[in-house]
Amino acid sequence: MSTPLLSIGMIVKDEIRCIERCFKSLEGLRKDLPCELVVADTGSTDGTREIVKKYADVFFDFEWCNDFAAARNAVLDRCTGQWYLQLDADEWLCDDYEEFIQFCHSTQFQTCHTASLRIRNHHLDDVSDEGSEFIRERMFRINSGFRFMGKVHEAPRPPADFSEHWRGIVLSKVFLHHDGYVAKIAQDKKKYKRNIKILEPILAEHPNSMRILCQCIESTEDISERLPYVETGVK
């Protein structure tokens, strides 16, 4: 394999429902670009590991420590590409990714630090809905020194001594489908309870952090759980 332009990094656990869908959506991209797929498993017992082994270039175990950034950075440390793409198992790449290919062969690929993609959240079980969209930084140039920060809702951030002017680009025609927060799936995976369990100790250390309060609000299942965080935020 030639030196990859792109490292695709993932952390997974018990993703048998959707993991192969994700990998299959990347097949065209991996044929059109020098890519590597680096995956960490945090304790799967449902057959996820066997599927990952069929697709991943690098696969390793990561002992879960209630810290998504730590897991993401462990994946990043094993990547050898020029750029890093963050992906989750319950996401899949859109069919038309030509803009992605063009970017990877452009001068901006060498001069930008980050690239943002559209994320399309589906709300129906059969993902027949158009969903709701937002834009999120999902790619960065590895030699810029970016690392993931945040135990929950982790995001790439530049090093403290980052002296360059931050240059980013939005790939407006490329998007990732996502169905991980469809009500039944979210309930089955207990994502909200998992997230709030991680967030509450952080909030105790930083009780006036609006960012953490907003994440707590997003991680509640009903209004009775949500109201205390809302009231604290208003105060």
Side-chain angles (χ1 to χ4, degrees):
M1 177 179 174
S2 60
T3 301
L5 290 178
L6 183 68
S7 296
I8 304 170
M10 300 174 61
I11 55 174
V12 301
K13 181 183 179 182
D14 292 339
E15 303 287 1
I16 195 69
R17 176 191 71 85
C18 56
I19 187 72
E20 194 149 29
R21 177 187 64 187
C22 175
F23 289 153
K24 284 185 176 297
S25 77
L26 299 171
E27 287 180 339
L29 179 67
R30 296 184 70 187
K31 289 178 182 177
D32 294 338
L33 281 178
C35 295
E36 65 175 356
L37 179 59
V38 182
V39 183
D41 185 272
T42 63
S44 294
T45 59
D46 67 346
T48 293
R49 297 173 59 85
E50 288 68 31
I51 294 177
V52 174
K53 289 176 182 178
K54 294 193 302 182
Y55 291 88
D57 300 296
V58 178
F59 178 49
F60 67 99
D61 292 307
F62 179 84
E63 185 175 353
W64 182 240
C65 56
N66 284 335
D67 189 329
F68 280 92
R72 296 278 185 202
N73 287 328
V75 172
L76 178 58
D77 289 339
R78 290 165 171 80
C79 291
T80 62
Q82 295 183 38
W83 276 69
Y84 181 91
L85 168 63
Q86 173 192 346
L87 202 63
D88 290 327
D90 53 10
E91 298 174 333
W92 64 102
L93 182 65
C94 64
D95 293 333
D96 183 4
Y97 52 83
E98 179 59 29
E99 185 184 26
F100 199 118
I101 300 295
Q102 292 175 359
F103 168 66
C104 291
H105 292 299
S106 70
T107 56
Q108 291 172 311
F109 188 76
Q110 304 299 330
T111 58
C112 286
H113 299 101
T114 63
S116 298
L117 308 178
R118 292 157 53 201
I119 312 296
R120 179 173 294 178
N121 275 329
H122 292 281
H123 307 299
L124 298 179
D125 289 341
D126 62 1
V127 298
S128 61
D129 59 312
E130 292 186 358
S132 57
E133 289 191 5
F134 60 96
I135 294 175
R136 182 64 53 83
E137 285 176 345
R138 282 300 192 89
M139 295 175 60
F140 56 88
R141 187 151 45 87
I142 291 178
N143 67 5
S144 294
F146 279 64
R147 303 289 288 176
F148 286 95
M149 296 182 64
K151 291 187 175 183
V152 177
H153 301 299
E154 69 285 359
R157 291 290 180 264
D161 60 351
F162 190 73
S163 58
E164 297 183 67
H165 178 64
W166 190 333
R167 294 182 296 277
I169 187 174
V170 176
L171 303 181
S172 60
K173 296 179 182 179
V174 181
F175 63 89
L176 298 172
H177 296 277
H178 175 246
D179 70 353
Y181 281 99
V182 172
K184 184 178 183 302
I185 297 170
Q187 182 179 8
D188 289 345
K189 292 181 69 63
K190 301 178 181 179
K191 285 187 174 182
Y192 294 117
K193 286 183 171 58
R194 175 203 65 194
N195 289 354
I196 204 69
K197 183 179 178 181
I198 298 173
L199 287 166
E200 283 182 337
I202 303 174
L203 183 63
E205 293 181 20
H206 308 281
N208 297 319
S209 170
M210 287 302 297
R211 179 172 178 269
I212 302 302
L213 279 168
C214 286
Q215 290 179 354
C216 288
I217 292 168
E218 292 174 350
S219 299
T220 52
E221 296 185 75
D222 55 56
I223 196 165
S224 63
E225 293 180 3
R226 195 168 298 132
L227 274 176
Y229 299 112
V230 174
E231 291 171 351
T232 300
V234 170
K235 291 177 184 178

